[in-house]
Amino acid sequence: MSDITIHRAEGTWVVRAGGAVLGESRDALELSEGDLPMVIYFPRADIAMAFLDQTGHTTHCPKKGDATYFSIVTKSTTLENAAWSYENPIDGAERIAGHIAFYTTDFVAVERV
């Protein structure tokens, strides 16, 4: 298994879903884990949490801990389990506490602007 690296993501990052900007941040974090695609974690303070509903879905990562999932509620649809957060990340991943990440799909865009 490879190590996780977390560092400040350069520039300004936005997340959009359902035609709306859910968040914009200059304080996002970039997490890399082996050969997996890089993931941007947004500070919760920079996300419109009113668009997110916590679900009962959880997963466990041996390098990050237990993930809590959120659905994105837009005007036209609900995107189930489209975002996740590590509420209490394990040692080595503490920097992502208080942050939320999003699956990029045809309906959700995470991009640097």
Side-chain angles (χ1 to χ4, degrees):
M1 268 199 222
S2 54
D3 288 333
I4 288 175
T5 58
I6 302 168
H7 58 269
R8 186 176 175 278
E10 293 293 320
T12 301
W13 288 81
V14 297
V15 57
R16 295 183 180 92
V21 174
L22 301 182
E24 179 176 323
S25 182
R26 293 186 55 75
D27 297 313
L29 296 174
E30 183 177 306
L31 183 144
S32 299
E33 182 177 358
D35 295 332
L36 297 173
M38 174 269 299
V39 176
I40 296 295
Y41 281 80
F42 291 84
R44 280 189 186 219
D46 293 341
I47 297 295
M49 293 300 292
F51 288 102
L52 303 182
D53 284 341
Q54 187 171 334
T55 72
H57 184 65
T58 61
T59 57
H60 177 77
C61 171
K63 297 203 175 256
K64 298 184 288 285
D66 295 321
T68 300
Y69 285 77
F70 299 84
S71 291
I72 300 171
V73 181
T74 70
K75 288 182 209 167
S76 57
T77 190
T78 297
L79 305 170
E80 297 290 334
N81 299 315
W84 72 95
S85 177
Y86 290 91
E87 306 298 313
N88 297 295
I90 60 177
D91 291 349
E94 305 92 345
R95 287 184 69 188
I96 60 172
H99 289 68
I100 192 161
F102 297 84
Y103 288 110
T104 55
T105 65
D106 289 344
F107 307 102
V108 180
V110 173
E111 56 200 5
R112 184 175 171 180
V113 293

